[in-house]
Amino acid sequence: MKKLGIITALLIIIVFAWFFLPMSANNASPKGSLEKLVLTGSSTVAPLASEIGKRFEALHPNVRVDVQTGGSSRGVNDARTGLANIGMASRALKVKESDLLSFTIALDGISIITHQANPVTALDRQQIIAIYTGKILNWKDVGGNDAPITVVNKSEGHSTLELFLHHFGLKNTDVKAHVVIGDNQQGIKTVAGNPNAIGYVSIGAAEYAASHDIAIKLLPLGGITASVANVLNHSFPLSRPLNLVTREAPTGTAKAFIDFARSVQVNDLIEAQYFVPVAH
Amino acid sequence: MSLSHTDQNLSLILQLCALIAAAVVLLILVFLLSESWPVLQHVSVWRFFSDDAWHPAQDLYNITPMLSATLLSTLGALLLSTPLGIASALFTRYYAPPALAAWYRRLIELLAGIPSVVYGLWGLTTLAPLVGQLHPPGVSLLTAILVLALMILPTIALTVDSALRAVPVAYHHSAAALGLSRWAIIKNIILPAAHSGITSSVMLAAGRAIGETMAVLMVAGNVVQHPHSLFASVRTLTANIALEMSYAMGDHRAALFVAGLALMLMVLLLVSSAELFKRRSLCLQIH
């Protein structure tokens, strides 16, 4: 009986400790010289940056990497005003931002995919727009079988959706989707299971699936084959760089972090998020 | 009668445990409210039901299509699996030979233990293409209902089984002594006696169906719209939260917590109506 009491009491303590643990972890006062590296900006880069940050912290115990989101423009602005040590932008710097320095850590590309059995081998820009806005509803209108098109779109907030809409000049409210998916794997499985579906996913994920006997096909865009290699050599149109931005040539910890983020040591983290690493 | 010292200690500890369990529920409610507060301050509750669509990025927050999808998929799954579950429980308890019943029960328990994502994967790769042959795109309300029904079937079968077990054996023996057939005993004695247990089992299953996320996310299609047919692609409240949460910021994020709050209220309503139902049927039995 006594044992039971002790166990219960322990359990209660654990529950309480669990409640207060995250709080105390946040409020932990810096011991010694704890250096803080603040990154703000694009929500596309942020998950990757925070993964890289965790690994960086493990290597540099006296550094804390703080990642905040708020869009590429905020990243650029914060880097310029010095609010952040490093800004994050999921695009190349604009001409009027040429006073800043950018360091590409990865490339993000997306590919239009269809079922392997679909006879359509290419679609042009206008056809893709017409399909996604519901103006073309049957594959026979673009040279395919007489079958209704199943349009697969991404759910709101995903960077792939953003890049896709931006590239084709669409608004999400214009898209007439039949299926909405979350991550790349779900998109690939949905298209592989439906001979009449069309969707788009990160190029890394699509290439991997297509080379592993999954029944999908990557459509070329503007005559250029959708492949990681073509994203790397910047010829594939539906891609963008993921950049770290600084005001001046980085020094000290910021430099160490940027060098680390561009090294082969983080390639597995980059690939885990279906981006294309630049370091080899 | 006074409690022994050890009993007093135990009672104190148990009270504390109960208090913590209750506090956790309350804290979750408070947490949901405080997280959804930022958007509720400048978007009236009414707009969550009257806006044109769900486009949080464009400041439109209508959650009714997802409410109807959640309700319809749950209802459909219950309609399919309640009769099957009750039939399966009756079979194991009254018709199957004991050896078969034991194995069958183990099989159902195994079915209850399969993770929902496995059901989802199966639904997406096998069931959805089949439904798609009937009517594209395949991922639809119907597929969601079928997967959900399969998932809650073991819940219903097992809990109804234990509700049947709770009926005193004496009822069965007395009725048999009166010369009633097995089916007549079940229909007129056992089922009415196990009535409240069966009802709460269905409510439990309904709760599970409402809360199911992963499997539904994979097979329902996730287009935000009021389902106009069984083959329409729909998005449930839970799927909506899971789809958008990791990328949502600001008002969008808070709006997702409002959806969570709506879910919590739905379950609360369900549980309290089940409780009310149980109490009333208990009263009827006594009077």
Side-chain angles (χ1 to χ4, degrees):
Chain A
M1 217 47 185
K2 210 163 194 180
K3 223 181 223 167
L4 187 74
I6 291 169
I7 292 171
T8 326
L10 268 177
L11 216 69
I12 292 168
I13 291 168
I14 290 169
V15 168
F16 268 100
W18 174 70
F19 262 110
F20 290 106
L21 198 71
M23 237 180 265
S24 57
N26 283 339
N27 299 341
S29 56
K31 286 193 201 104
S33 58
L34 198 63
E35 202 178 341
K36 207 171 173 191
L37 195 65
V38 180
L39 279 78
T40 66
S42 160
S43 57
T44 311
V45 191
L48 177 61
S50 80
E51 286 300 314
I52 294 175
K54 273 180 212 153
R55 195 171 281 181
F56 188 76
E57 281 172 356
L59 293 172
H60 302 79
N62 60 332
V63 177
R64 285 287 295 275
V65 180
D66 182 14
V67 178
Q68 295 163 16
T69 55
S72 296
S73 306
R74 180 182 164 195
V76 170
N77 269 331
D78 285 359
R80 180 177 279 144
T81 57
L83 270 176
N85 304 94
I86 300 171
M88 300 175 289
S90 53
R91 56 173 168 79
L93 288 179
K94 293 171 184 167
V95 179
K96 60 177 181 182
E97 293 162 355
S98 55
D99 54 321
L100 301 168
L101 296 167
S102 74
F103 304 89
T104 303
I105 56 170
L107 298 166
D108 180 16
I110 64 179
S111 164
I112 310 278
I113 56 171
T114 56
H115 193 272
Q116 212 169 31
N118 195 321
V120 176
T121 52
L123 291 168
D124 65 29
R125 187 186 167 87
Q126 294 313 318
Q127 286 171 325
I128 292 172
I129 292 174
I131 287 173
Y132 267 85
T133 49
K135 291 192 185 75
I136 293 180
L137 294 167
N138 197 307
W139 281 111
K140 71 172 193 280
D141 295 332
V142 289
N145 300 327
D146 183 8
I149 301 176
T150 300
V151 175
V152 182
N153 197 25
K154 282 239 169 183
S155 66
E156 206 146 335
H158 283 263
S159 66
T160 13
L161 170 75
E162 221 173 89
L163 177 54
F164 178 84
L165 294 178
H166 180 256
H167 180 81
F168 288 105
L170 294 168
K171 273 194 310 202
N172 202 19
T173 36
D174 301 332
V175 173
K176 301 273 182 293
H178 301 110
V179 180
V180 176
I181 51 147
D183 60 15
N184 289 314
Q185 284 312 318
Q186 198 191 352
I188 289 167
K189 292 212 168 63
T190 304
V191 174
N194 185 336
N196 301 315
I198 180 169
Y200 57 88
V201 292
S202 286
I203 253 177
E207 207 177 58
Y208 181 85
S211 64
H212 283 74
D213 283 340
I214 293 177
I216 60 162
K217 186 164 62 178
L218 285 75
L219 292 190
L221 207 62
I224 293 158
T225 314
S227 69
V228 169
N230 282 341
V231 172
L232 260 178
N233 66 25
H234 300 283
S235 61
F236 190 69
L238 198 42
S239 72
R240 60 181 172 178
L242 305 181
N243 284 328
L244 296 181
V245 180
T246 59
R247 184 169 44 176
E248 46 214 19
T251 54
T253 313
K255 179 173 173 9
F257 182 83
I258 292 174
D259 288 345
F260 182 67
R262 284 158 61 84
S263 71
V264 285
Q265 295 173 66
V266 298
N267 277 7
D268 56 324
L269 298 178
I270 293 172
E271 276 160 2
Q273 311 227 6
Y274 301 108
F275 298 135
V276 181
V278 283
H280 285 288
Chain B
M1 196 182 79
S2 77
L3 292 168
S4 78
H5 188 65
T6 334
D7 273 352
Q8 269 180 5
N9 272 347
L10 186 66
S11 140
L12 200 75
I13 288 166
L14 289 180
Q15 279 176 24
L16 211 65
C17 284
L19 196 75
I20 290 173
V24 166
V25 177
L26 271 179
L27 277 175
I28 290 175
L29 204 64
V30 170
F31 170 77
L32 280 176
L33 269 173
S34 75
E35 285 289 328
S36 46
W37 191 243
V39 71
L40 287 176
Q41 266 177 323
H42 57 266
V43 177
S44 76
V45 175
W46 180 239
R47 278 193 45 202
F48 284 92
F49 299 94
S50 65
D51 269 354
D52 291 332
W54 170 265
H55 282 294
Q58 272 100 30
D59 214 23
L60 294 169
Y61 300 106
N62 191 346
I63 62 167
T64 53
M66 293 174 273
L67 264 176
S68 71
T70 299
L71 285 173
L72 283 172
S73 58
T74 303
L75 203 72
L78 282 178
L79 279 178
L80 278 180
S81 56
T82 305
L84 278 174
I86 292 176
S88 142
L90 287 175
F91 172 72
T92 43
R93 195 131 291 278
Y94 299 110
Y95 288 91
L100 181 66
W103 279 104
Y104 183 77
R105 201 168 290 142
R106 230 164 276 167
L107 207 71
I108 298 276
E109 275 162 11
L110 192 71
L111 201 61
I114 295 177
S116 64
V117 68
V118 175
Y119 283 104
L121 210 57
W122 172 79
L124 181 57
T125 54
T126 310
L127 196 59
L130 284 177
V131 176
Q133 282 173 7
L134 286 176
H135 194 294
V139 281
S140 61
L141 179 61
L142 179 67
T143 325
I145 286 175
L146 290 176
V147 168
L148 274 180
L150 196 66
M151 287 187 61
I152 63 174
L153 179 63
T155 312
I156 295 186
L158 290 174
T159 46
V160 169
D161 188 51
S162 53
L164 292 177
R165 193 172 47 209
V167 176
V169 181
Y171 286 17
H172 196 271
H173 289 170
S174 320
L178 288 174
L180 290 176
S181 73
R182 202 188 298 189
W183 174 240
I185 297 171
I186 289 170
K187 194 176 123 211
N188 299 314
I189 313 285
I190 308 282
L191 282 182
H195 185 243
S196 73
I198 293 173
T199 314
S200 43
S201 137
V202 172
M203 293 296 173
L204 191 74
R208 187 163 182 217
I210 288 179
E212 179 47 44
T213 311
M214 243 1 253
V216 175
L217 172 69
M218 293 171 95
V219 300
N222 305 317
V223 176
V224 184
Q225 59 179 356
H226 286 289
H228 47 79
S229 86
L230 270 177
F231 297 105
S233 164
V234 294
R235 187 188 297 188
T236 61
L237 278 171
T238 47
N240 185 46
I241 296 173
L243 271 175
E244 299 187 353
M245 186 51 94
S246 46
Y247 300 88
M249 282 177 299
D251 276 359
H252 183 186
R253 195 180 127 88
L256 290 179
F257 276 101
V258 174
L261 204 62
L263 261 175
M264 180 104 178
L265 291 178
M266 254 166 90
V267 175
L268 212 68
L269 213 70
L270 193 78
V271 170
S272 48
S273 67
E275 198 57 39
L276 204 77
F277 197 77
K278 212 163 154 186
R279 207 169 295 162
R280 198 195 302 160
S281 66
L282 236 115
C283 285
L284 283 177
Q285 270 178 19
I286 290 163
H287 292 296

